[in-house]
Amino acid sequence: MASEQHNAQRRTPVTIHDVARDAGVSVGTVSKALNDRGQLRPDTRARVRATAAILGFLPNELAQSLHRKRSFTVGIITSDRFGRFSIPLLEGIEDALDPARIAVFLCKPTDDLELERRHVDSLLAKRVDGIIVTSRRTDPRRPLDLGGASLPVVYAYAQSEDPAAACLLPDDEGGGALAGAHFARLGRRRIAHITGPERFAAVRERRVGLARALADAGLVLDDQLVLSGSWSEEWGREAAERLLDIGRPFDAIFCGSDQIARGVADTLRDRGVHVPEDLAIVGYDNWEIVAAATRPPLTTIDPCLDELGRLAATRLLGMIDANDGQRAAATRVPCRLVVRASCGGGAE
Amino acid sequence: MASEQHNAQRRTPVTIHDVARDAGVSVGTVSKALNDRGQLRPDTRARVRATAAILGFLPNELAQSLHRKRSFTVGIITSDRFGRFSIPLLEGIEDALDPARIAVFLCKPTDDLELERRHVDSLLAKRVDGIIVTSRRTDPRRPLDLGGASLPVVYAYAQSEDPAAACLLPDDEGGGALAGAHFARLGRRRIAHITGPERFAAVRERRVGLARALADAGLVLDDQLVLSGSWSEEWGREAAERLLDIGRPFDAIFCGSDQIARGVADTLRDRGVHVPEDLAIVGYDNWEIVAAATRPPLTTIDPCLDELGRLAATRLLGMIDANDGQRAAATRVPCRLVVRASCGGGAE
């Protein structure tokens, strides 16, 4: 559409009355023609549409929203200040909402329940059709306080304490299992695990998955080789030093994040340990900017957050269309193994 | 506010009629009381407000927007898919818009002008009060195509080819000068510069600032010690190798990004060069997750993107309130030196 055809001056927008006058029809006919409703002669419909296009008529969605009791907007509430996890999620969410012509209100990220409550009030006042809640961790959180309002809510990379809430979570146990199975397939036998704080559900679940996959391959996860700490490179470096000094043999390390893996790889390099020849490493997150820059580049587990975002938005659309409080238990979205160089070998 | 006080059921929201009935006044009186307009007895105003609070009445902002010709929404259009730059910007923008009770529509990031055009159409249809355009680079871009509509637009960490557009940009030349002055103050005399692609305005401007600050200290920037490449750790590593092999003496390296600086620091470590004893390093971006994890942690230039976002949103609010197409030339927002360990010494 050439920009000359647009005429949507802010203070004097083209109205439905202008279209009706120029097309020589009534306002009701314009409405029918543009909304594909009612009985109209095809040439009338075509004339109205052409006129609207020439005038650059933009339907006033605010007015339409009042009429339809739908605003075609969705609110996103997040506690992820850094955007590490919320950015790919957001991309997936918008991938799903964009074709449905639904716009996204993004609220200022916050951990503070009082501010979150104000965000909800603001979204309700905007008459959003639904809300997606995201987080920077997957542990159960207090249900979003809608103050008695009834509105579809989906938790994405977040979990509500309400067991009936619709939650989409990465399959962390499955992610741990992917790492264990990859090591086993490549002939690694003694797997160490350097991970984040035990209080994170994701830490416990990934470890369970790792142990399960190793058991499936006839291997045992040695508790002495499991070190929990923080989500940082520094912890990766410190834990790698400790592992090397314990004196127990191991030939692979599964790391709870790419940042931890980066620290581990740097320390192994400093200590003259060769990756992947002496030790294989698998990271977690597939955070490109870290995983690809590590020496060697990291084989890692991708939690597929963009896919998780798409699924969350799709579920929300379903709940909005069903026009009720339809709920579902938590759904786990599968992870994916991304093979780079830190384990040698190739994809399966 | 206790959640029991809220009653905003989605399909049966509390209306102004409910408030009027329960307070025993007319709808007009409720409107006056809640909007602080007209002449009312203080006790009537108080009674209406108490009733509205008890019922959990949420004003229907869609209806208010139609009435006031303002939607109290702003759209954000970005081409920064990774969120590195847009996330701190967004935080600053929301810091400024939140108190003004303006909500933010975030459009799916895109480089594609056709999709951008559709986003603009969608924002115009939502009757946003203004648009903020952000980018992942500061080079001039095509003006946002409003299709003839007149609407306040501010470019934040982005620049329009239209010289009259309101643009907020980091002071990259000033950032380069901060690095040069810091080195000079610490007694460094021969400064190398490893930076990103020459085609980026930011690369050229930072170099100009560096040279200016060195000249102010009676030093000369040696062209042989300036290497332009990509924005990556890998380039940092490669360029550091090259610099060490040239055989020209230098005692400091100003890096065009923290990622480049990270690569430089890793290679210096591998080659047995001590930082900051043998060589001082200054990075750029103050990207905490990279700068703080580098060994040693990076002294770096912070482009203060959150502040830039706040200023952009504040300017947009001014343009909206002035209710005209008020424009201003590009404004440069000062950078800030953040001292960690990679130069030794301390703050000034």
Side-chain angles (χ1 to χ4, degrees):
Chain A
M1 200 184 304
S3 68
E4 291 74 18
Q5 293 182 330
H6 284 265
N7 243 323
Q9 292 296 326
R10 181 159 169 252
R11 271 158 302 278
T12 56
V14 176
T15 67
I16 194 167
H17 299 281
D18 300 323
V19 178
R21 188 193 57 234
D22 281 23
V25 298
S26 72
V27 165
T29 300
V30 174
S31 173
K32 281 182 197 163
L34 297 183
N35 293 303
D36 248 338
R37 280 198 300 252
Q39 301 273 321
L40 280 187
R41 278 173 32 202
D43 62 325
T44 305
R45 196 181 296 276
R47 188 170 75 250
V48 171
R49 292 190 166 192
T51 306
I54 288 165
L55 291 177
F57 174 66
L58 289 168
N60 187 333
E61 292 192 4
L62 288 178
Q64 293 181 334
S65 299
L66 275 175
H67 180 65
R68 294 183 197 159
K69 308 276 187 205
R70 279 222 17 211
S71 64
F72 293 89
T73 59
V74 159
I76 299 188
I77 284 184
T78 180
S79 63
D80 179 18
R81 281 198 66 238
F82 299 98
R84 273 273 299 295
F85 302 121
S86 50
I87 283 291
L89 270 178
L90 204 54
E91 295 207 2
I93 289 168
E94 296 198 316
D95 273 349
L97 295 183
D98 213 42
R101 305 203 53 220
I102 290 182
V104 166
F105 279 119
L106 188 65
C107 299
K108 188 170 148 61
T110 182
D111 266 337
D112 177 69
L113 286 175
E114 190 49 44
L115 183 53
E116 181 177 281
R117 188 72 195 78
R118 284 208 291 120
H119 286 333
V120 170
D121 274 345
S122 167
L123 292 175
L124 291 174
K126 298 282 184 209
R127 296 296 191 262
V128 293
D129 298 326
I131 296 176
I132 296 176
V133 179
T134 84
S135 180
R136 60 167 174 266
R137 57 190 291 189
T138 57
D139 297 75
R141 51 152 284 157
R142 282 175 59 176
L144 192 69
D145 180 4
L146 294 178
S150 165
L151 193 73
V153 175
V154 170
Y155 297 81
Y157 199 82
Q159 189 170 186
S160 170
E161 287 166 356
D162 172 1
C167 303
L168 280 107
L169 295 161
D171 181 4
D172 282 296
E173 192 179 320
L178 282 176
H182 190 60
F183 287 140
R185 202 159 47 231
L186 295 172
R188 307 284 169 162
R189 289 289 167 262
R190 294 168 175 279
I191 317 300
H193 184 31
I194 300 178
T195 185
E198 277 290 339
R199 67 177 185 280
F200 278 69
V203 165
R204 301 189 299 271
E205 291 159 3
R206 290 171 194 174
R207 178 179 174 165
V208 166
L210 173 66
R212 174 166 57 78
L214 295 182
D216 288 349
L219 304 173
V220 174
L221 179 60
D222 178 355
D223 285 347
Q224 302 284 316
L225 296 177
V226 177
L227 300 179
S228 285
S230 66
W231 297 115
S232 69
E233 284 189 47
E234 195 181 358
W235 164 240
R237 294 197 292 259
E238 182 190 327
E241 296 279 5
R242 276 204 232 166
L243 270 185
L244 292 172
D245 295 338
I246 287 177
R248 294 173 87 90
F250 59 98
D251 54 13
I253 308 178
F254 174 40
C255 299
S257 76
D258 289 342
Q259 282 175 279
I260 290 173
R262 172 75 188 258
V264 168
D266 282 349
T267 288
L268 296 180
R269 186 179 179 85
D270 287 352
R271 298 270 300 245
V273 179
H274 295 99
V275 177
E277 296 80 0
D278 303 331
L279 272 177
I281 298 178
V282 169
Y284 211 104
D285 290 338
N286 193 29
W287 193 19
E288 179 78 18
I289 216 143
V290 176
T294 301
R295 291 179 294 172
L298 295 172
T299 290
T300 186
I301 307 299
D302 188 331
C304 300
L305 296 180
D306 51 349
E307 174 66 9
L308 194 151
R310 260 190 296 279
L311 291 171
T314 303
R315 177 169 300 178
L316 186 70
L317 289 177
M319 289 164 71
I320 292 169
D321 287 340
N323 202 23
D324 66 14
Q326 174 206 322
R327 286 153 175 255
T331 301
R332 294 283 177 170
V333 178
C335 302
R336 175 171 76 89
L337 177 76
V338 176
V339 174
R340 291 195 184 85
S342 64
C343 293
E348 224 177 324
Chain B
M1 200 185 304
S3 68
E4 290 75 20
Q5 292 183 331
H6 284 265
N7 244 323
Q9 293 295 326
R10 180 160 169 250
R11 270 159 302 279
T12 56
V14 175
T15 68
I16 195 167
H17 299 279
D18 299 324
V19 177
R21 188 193 57 234
D22 281 22
V25 298
S26 72
V27 165
T29 300
V30 174
S31 175
K32 282 183 199 162
L34 298 183
N35 293 303
D36 248 337
R37 281 198 298 254
Q39 300 273 321
L40 279 186
R41 278 172 33 201
D43 63 326
T44 305
R45 197 180 296 274
R47 187 168 76 248
V48 170
R49 293 191 165 192
T51 306
I54 288 166
L55 290 178
F57 173 66
L58 289 168
N60 187 334
E61 292 192 4
L62 288 180
Q64 292 180 335
S65 299
L66 274 175
H67 180 63
R68 293 183 197 159
K69 308 277 187 203
R70 281 232 3 221
S71 64
F72 293 89
T73 59
V74 159
I76 298 188
I77 284 184
T78 178
S79 63
D80 179 19
R81 281 198 65 238
F82 300 98
R84 272 275 298 296
F85 302 121
S86 51
I87 283 291
L89 269 178
L90 204 53
E91 294 207 3
I93 289 169
E94 296 199 314
D95 273 349
L97 295 183
D98 214 42
R101 305 203 54 220
I102 290 182
V104 166
F105 278 118
L106 187 66
C107 298
K108 188 171 147 60
T110 182
D111 265 336
D112 177 68
L113 286 175
E114 190 49 44
L115 182 53
E116 182 177 279
R117 190 72 196 77
R118 285 208 289 120
H119 285 334
V120 170
D121 274 345
S122 167
L123 293 175
L124 290 173
K126 299 281 184 209
R127 296 295 191 266
V128 293
D129 298 326
I131 296 177
I132 295 176
V133 179
T134 85
S135 181
R136 59 167 175 267
R137 57 189 291 189
T138 56
D139 297 76
R141 49 152 286 157
R142 284 175 56 176
L144 192 68
D145 179 5
L146 294 177
S150 166
L151 193 74
V153 175
V154 171
Y155 297 80
Y157 199 81
Q159 190 170 186
S160 170
E161 286 166 357
D162 173 1
C167 304
L168 281 107
L169 296 160
D171 181 3
D172 282 296
E173 192 179 320
L178 283 176
H182 189 60
F183 286 140
R185 202 159 46 230
L186 296 172
R188 306 284 169 162
R189 289 289 168 260
R190 294 167 175 278
I191 317 300
H193 184 30
I194 300 177
T195 185
E198 278 290 340
R199 66 177 185 278
F200 279 68
V203 165
R204 301 188 300 271
E205 291 159 2
R206 290 170 194 175
R207 179 179 172 164
V208 166
L210 173 66
R212 173 165 57 79
L214 294 182
D216 288 350
L219 304 172
V220 174
L221 179 60
D222 178 354
D223 285 348
Q224 302 285 316
L225 296 178
V226 177
L227 300 178
S228 285
S230 66
W231 297 115
S232 68
E233 284 189 47
E234 196 181 358
W235 165 240
R237 294 197 292 260
E238 183 190 328
E241 297 279 5
R242 276 202 232 166
L243 270 185
L244 292 173
D245 294 340
I246 287 177
R248 294 174 87 90
F250 58 98
D251 55 14
I253 308 178
F254 173 41
C255 299
S257 75
D258 289 341
Q259 282 175 278
I260 290 174
R262 173 73 189 259
V264 167
D266 281 351
T267 288
L268 295 180
R269 187 180 178 86
D270 286 354
R271 298 271 299 245
V273 178
H274 296 100
V275 177
E277 296 80 359
D278 304 330
L279 273 176
I281 299 177
V282 169
Y284 211 104
D285 290 338
N286 193 28
W287 193 19
E288 178 80 18
I289 216 145
V290 176
T294 300
R295 292 177 294 172
L298 295 172
T299 290
T300 186
I301 307 299
D302 188 330
C304 302
L305 295 180
D306 51 349
E307 175 65 8
L308 195 153
R310 260 190 297 279
L311 292 171
T314 302
R315 177 169 301 179
L316 187 71
L317 288 178
M319 289 165 71
I320 292 170
D321 287 339
N323 202 24
D324 67 13
Q326 173 207 321
R327 286 154 174 252
T331 301
R332 294 283 175 170
V333 178
C335 302
R336 174 171 76 90
L337 177 76
V338 176
V339 174
R340 291 195 184 84
S342 64
C343 292
E348 225 175 324

